[in-house]
């Protein structure tokens, strides 16, 4: 049976054609109408990082994105790298919102049938488009890496006394820079909270097991006996204690440890023992003639090559065999050559001070001894002079004797007592020479033979007297003494005229009266405590160029009677 609508009649064919045309034209006309309505606009229901820009013109959409996202675009980002957080500004990372590109991406394909259909029935959430300055991004990530990266702690062996102590290794870490850059780009403007960036573990080269093994074997054998250094027919012995104080075991680059001996501070001692005196270098010196310093020439000599001695001792210790090493020698220039001394500008007296004391007490022996050790010392431009470093420990072997000193609020007898008088004399030479005061410690109690607020005490190793030669010239220190006085003089090129002014004593406090017994008790006379201010006034051509204030507080010295 033939269906009616398939009958081949002219009227039926016309109806069929009309139906087909309608079926085609309706969607086409609908698409065309929608496309015309959307022309020049962002498709409806389009959102960028939570900002709705649907239905807006390109210009309005760009403006809205800039307005709504500018705060977020400029807000610092927090990067979380292991246990370290680093805040970085997007501008420093080379990141910025590209509003025009974002709107263009939103409109891309909007006029296609699929785009029109999506505009009519769908919703889009788009990522913001971002401009990236690759150079700035790499530089900023490198700066973050400096705060995050941690080199592994390599294992080794140190010594406590003669006991080897393993220093166990520890992992390090390194920022994955490429991964960090990707993480920052992906999270910018769309993420919230800290941005986790990848960090890699960096393992040390030597295992903890190997460190413990060396500490228990080779490191113990290295300090089991003395080591002898030889030069011709002369010898010097390094005791186990001196070896341990300068020996460490460090990575050898092959997963193990090797000994490393530091001989840098042994030159003076070894030269005295291994080199004949007439072969040693001699510094240029100065002689004061008719009130003018004159240079006495230096001499090149032979000395122990401490740079080569360290590896030589290390090699001997690594072999665990012979305990004898031939000390390497080299031609040695003096610390101060004739030419250098002549160019130091040491030509006139620039500072001098004298303090007085009663004759003939044991403390006078110590004052004279420390003066002899410092006499002739030259402080080069920029150097800091330390009285304790220049003199060393005061002991009987170096000519010091027992005399009273202040310790724990009382007078006690100790070897080297009384040398604070020399420190006070030198401090005043520094004061009037115009040199920089680095460290000076006033006495606890005021001592009447010293100028109030302008004095210093020393002990070993602290407190110390230190001052810096802040001039472009050298400074020659000379000392002299009588049975009742000590004088320190500085020779250089004069820069300032120095004057001193002092305030009246204030906040004066009375002293207590005490009574003690025992063979160690030393009577104390009792002195008031007080505060005082002293100004050092620097002048040039009679004009004041600056002032420096020194504030000193003295405690009351008790009156102590001894039973």
């Amino acid at each position: 049976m033939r269906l009616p609508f398939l009958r081949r009649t002219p009227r039926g064919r016309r109806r069929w054609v009309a139906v087909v045309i309608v079926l085609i034209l309706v969607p086409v006309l609908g698409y065309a109408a929608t496309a015309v309505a959307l022309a020049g606009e962002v498709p409806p229901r389009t959102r960028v990082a939570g900002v709705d820009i649907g239905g807006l013109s390109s210009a309005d959409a760009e403006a809205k994105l800039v307005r709504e996202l500018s705060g977020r675009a400029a807000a610092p980002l927090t990067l979380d790298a292991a246990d370290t957080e680093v805040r970085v500004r997007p501008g420093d990372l080379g990141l910025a919102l590209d509003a025009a590109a974002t709107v263009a991406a939103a409109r891309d394909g909007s006029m296609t049938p699929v785009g029109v259909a999506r505009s009519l029935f769908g919703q889009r959430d788009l990522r913001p488009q971002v401009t990236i300055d690759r150079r700035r991004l790499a530089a900023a990530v490198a700066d973050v890496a400096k705060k995050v990266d941690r080199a592994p702690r390599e294992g080794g062996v140190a010594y406590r006394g003669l006991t080897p102590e393993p220093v166990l290794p520890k992992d390090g870490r390194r920022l994955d820079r490429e991964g960090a850059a990707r993480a920052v780009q992906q999270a910018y403007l769309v993420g919230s909270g800290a941005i986790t960036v990848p960090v890699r573990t960096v393992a040390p080269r030597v295992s903890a097991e190997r460190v413990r093994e060396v500490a228990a074997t080779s490191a113990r054998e290295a300090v089991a006996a003395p080591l002898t250094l030889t030069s011709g027919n002369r010898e010097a012995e390094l005791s186990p204690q001196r070896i341990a104080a300068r020996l460490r075991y460090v990575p050898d680059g092959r997963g193990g440890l090797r000994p490393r001996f530091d001989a840098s501070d042994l030159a003076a001692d070894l030269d005295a023992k291994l080199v004949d005196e007439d072969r040693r270098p001699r510094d240029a010196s100065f002689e004061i003639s008719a009130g003018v310093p004159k240079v006495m020439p230096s001499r090149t000599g032979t000395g122990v090559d401490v740079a080569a001695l360290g590896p030589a001792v290390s090699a001997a210790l690594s072999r665990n065999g012979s305990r004898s090493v031939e000390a390497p020698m080299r031609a040695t220039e003096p610390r101060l050559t004739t030419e250098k001394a002549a160019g130091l500008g040491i030509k006139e007296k620039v500072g001098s001070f004298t303090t007085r004391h009663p004759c003939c007490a044991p403390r006078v022996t110590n004052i004279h001894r420390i003066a002899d050790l410092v006499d002739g010392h030259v402080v080069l431009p920029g150097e800091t002079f330390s009285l304790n470093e220049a003199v060393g420990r005061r002991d009987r072997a170096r000519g010091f004797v027992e005399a009273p000193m202040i310790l724990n609020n009382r007078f006690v007898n100790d070897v080297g007592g009384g040398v604070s008088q020399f420190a006070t004399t030198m401090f005043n030479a520094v004061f009037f020479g115009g040199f920089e005061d680095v460290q000076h410690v006033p006495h606890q109690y005021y001592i009447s033979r010293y100028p109030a607020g302008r004095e210093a005490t020393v002990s070993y190793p602290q407190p110390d007297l230190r001052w810096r030669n802040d001039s472009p010239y050298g400074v020659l220190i000379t000392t002299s003494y009588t049975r009742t006085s000590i004088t320190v003089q500085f020779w250089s090129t004069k820069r300032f005229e120095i004057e001193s002014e002092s305030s009246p004593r204030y906040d004066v406090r009375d002293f207590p009266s005490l009574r003690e017994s025992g063979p160690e008790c030393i009577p104390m006379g009792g002195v008031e405590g007080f505060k005082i201010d002293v100004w050092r006034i620097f002048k040039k051509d009679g004009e004041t160029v600056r002032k420096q204030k020194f504030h000193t507080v003295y405690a009351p010295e008790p009156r102590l009677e001894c039973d």
Side-chain angles (χ1 to χ4, degrees):
M1 181 179 73
R2 178 173 293 180
L3 297 175
F5 63 83
L6 292 179
R7 294 174 182 166
R8 298 180 181 273
T9 64
R11 187 177 180 181
R13 285 195 297 271
R14 285 196 297 272
R15 287 179 179 176
W16 171 245
V17 171
V19 169
V20 171
I21 291 173
V22 169
L23 291 175
I24 293 173
L25 286 178
V26 167
V28 169
L29 291 174
Y31 162 72
T34 303
V36 169
L38 294 176
E41 295 181 355
V42 176
R45 293 181 291 281
T46 299
R47 298 169 62 88
V48 176
V51 178
D52 187 357
I53 59 172
L56 299 178
S57 68
S58 296
D60 289 344
E62 288 182 28
K64 186 173 184 180
L65 286 177
V66 170
R67 184 172 62 253
E68 297 289 335
L69 296 181
S70 59
R72 194 188 313 178
L77 304 176
T78 299
L79 309 187
D80 183 359
D83 60 353
T84 301
E85 286 192 349
V86 182
R87 289 173 63 82
V88 189
R89 293 181 300 179
D92 294 336
L93 288 162
L95 302 178
L97 169 68
D98 190 339
T102 303
V103 172
R107 294 189 56 202
D108 187 32
S110 61
M111 295 296 99
T112 65
V114 173
V116 170
R118 185 171 55 208
S119 299
L120 292 173
F121 307 109
Q123 177 176 310
R124 286 198 302 170
D125 287 292
L126 301 179
R127 293 178 61 90
Q129 298 295 306
V130 176
T131 61
I132 304 172
D133 185 330
R134 299 289 177 184
R135 182 186 61 80
R136 295 184 69 181
L137 178 60
V141 170
D143 287 340
V144 173
K146 294 177 183 177
K147 301 175 182 178
V148 173
D149 290 356
R150 182 185 301 153
R153 185 181 73 187
E154 295 295 343
V157 179
Y159 288 87
R160 177 174 294 181
L162 293 177
T163 302
E165 291 197 339
V167 179
L168 297 181
K170 184 177 181 180
D171 286 343
R173 68 188 186 194
R174 183 180 298 121
L175 179 70
D176 179 350
R177 299 190 183 190
E178 292 184 1
R182 286 194 299 270
V184 167
Q185 294 174 58
Q186 292 169 1
Y188 180 54
L189 288 174
V190 296
S192 61
I195 303 170
T196 301
V197 293
V199 176
R200 298 173 180 172
T201 298
V202 181
R205 293 173 292 176
V206 184
S207 68
E209 292 75 17
R210 181 57 179 157
V211 170
R212 292 190 182 97
E213 177 187 346
V214 170
T217 55
S218 303
R220 289 189 179 276
E221 295 168 4
V223 295
L227 188 144
T228 302
L229 303 178
T230 64
S231 178
N233 60 355
R234 299 176 73 105
E235 292 184 352
E237 183 178 273
L238 293 179
S239 67
Q241 289 78 7
R242 296 186 80 183
I243 295 172
R246 295 162 178 81
L247 181 63
R248 298 291 181 269
Y249 279 78
V250 298
D252 62 7
R254 302 186 300 274
L257 296 175
R258 61 176 179 83
R260 184 178 68 192
F261 184 79
D262 181 7
S264 59
D265 65 339
L266 293 175
D269 181 58
L270 294 181
D271 284 350
K273 294 178 179 178
L274 296 176
V275 183
D276 293 335
E277 185 174 0
D278 59 357
R279 296 175 56 221
R280 298 174 203 158
R282 182 178 63 203
D283 280 350
S285 59
F286 290 84
E287 181 179 274
I288 308 300
S289 176
V292 178
K294 292 186 176 180
V295 177
M296 307 302 291
S298 63
R299 179 183 68 197
T300 300
T302 298
V304 175
D305 186 351
V306 292
L309 178 62
V313 171
S314 300
L317 295 176
S318 66
R319 291 192 295 267
N320 290 325
S322 171
R323 305 289 291 188
S324 178
V325 174
E326 178 72 20
M329 296 288 173
R330 65 179 179 88
T332 305
E333 290 292 327
R335 168 182 172 270
L336 184 60
T337 65
T338 304
E339 293 74 20
K340 188 173 183 179
L344 288 177
I346 297 176
K347 63 181 184 180
E348 59 188 329
K349 188 188 301 182
V350 298
S352 178
F353 203 75
T354 299
T355 59
R356 303 192 179 279
H357 53 73
C359 172
C360 311
R363 65 188 302 274
V364 177
T365 299
N366 295 329
I367 295 170
H368 292 179
R369 181 64 186 130
I370 196 171
D372 289 339
L373 292 172
V374 174
D375 186 39
H377 194 95
V378 175
V379 184
L380 299 178
E383 280 190 343
T384 295
F385 175 88
S386 161
L387 187 59
N388 278 340
E389 287 181 9
V391 175
R393 184 181 297 277
R394 274 70 82 180
D395 54 30
R396 297 182 188 278
R398 307 188 70 206
F400 292 93
V401 300
E402 193 174 87
M405 64 177 291
I406 299 174
L407 179 66
N408 298 326
N409 307 325
R410 294 291 185 271
F411 286 137
V412 299
N413 284 313
D414 195 16
V415 174
V419 295
S420 289
Q421 175 137 6
F422 180 85
T424 289
T425 311
M426 173 172 276
F427 173 72
N428 277 274
V430 172
F431 186 99
F432 288 105
F435 299 102
E436 179 184 342
D437 172 41
V438 176
Q439 178 190 5
H440 87 280
V441 179
H443 284 82
Q444 181 179 5
Y445 307 132
Y446 173 62
I447 300 173
S448 60
R449 60 178 170 267
Y450 304 147
R454 244 182 34 227
E455 47 86 15
T457 183
V458 290
S459 188
Y460 190 89
Q462 287 293 335
D464 194 5
L465 172 64
R466 296 189 299 140
W467 57 274
R468 179 174 174 268
N469 177 9
D470 56 344
S471 79
Y473 314 105
V475 178
L476 167 67
I477 305 170
T478 61
T479 65
S480 59
Y481 46 79
T482 68
R483 297 184 357 170
T484 59
S485 68
I486 173 70
T487 298
V488 176
Q489 295 179 324
F490 286 175
W491 305 80
S492 185
T493 294
K494 195 171 186 65
R495 298 177 295 157
F496 305 104
E497 298 90 34
I498 302 293
E499 295 180 1
S500 177
E501 289 184 0
S502 299
S503 72
R505 301 177 186 186
Y506 60 96
D507 287 351
V508 178
R509 293 181 291 161
D510 199 6
F511 55 85
S513 295
L514 306 173
R515 181 179 294 273
E516 294 180 1
S517 61
E520 304 296 326
C521 182
I522 299 177
M524 302 173 69
V527 178
E528 290 178 331
F530 60 91
K531 297 178 181 177
I532 190 169
D533 298 319
V534 175
W535 287 269
R536 176 162 60 162
I537 303 170
F538 295 77
K539 291 187 173 183
K540 278 189 175 181
D541 301 323
E543 297 291 329
T544 298
V545 293
R546 67 184 177 99
K547 291 185 177 182
Q548 181 182 17
K549 180 181 176 180
F550 295 85
H551 175 69
T552 306
V553 178
Y554 292 109
E557 176 192 316
R559 175 182 290 161
L560 177 63
E561 297 183 10
C562 297
D563 292 334

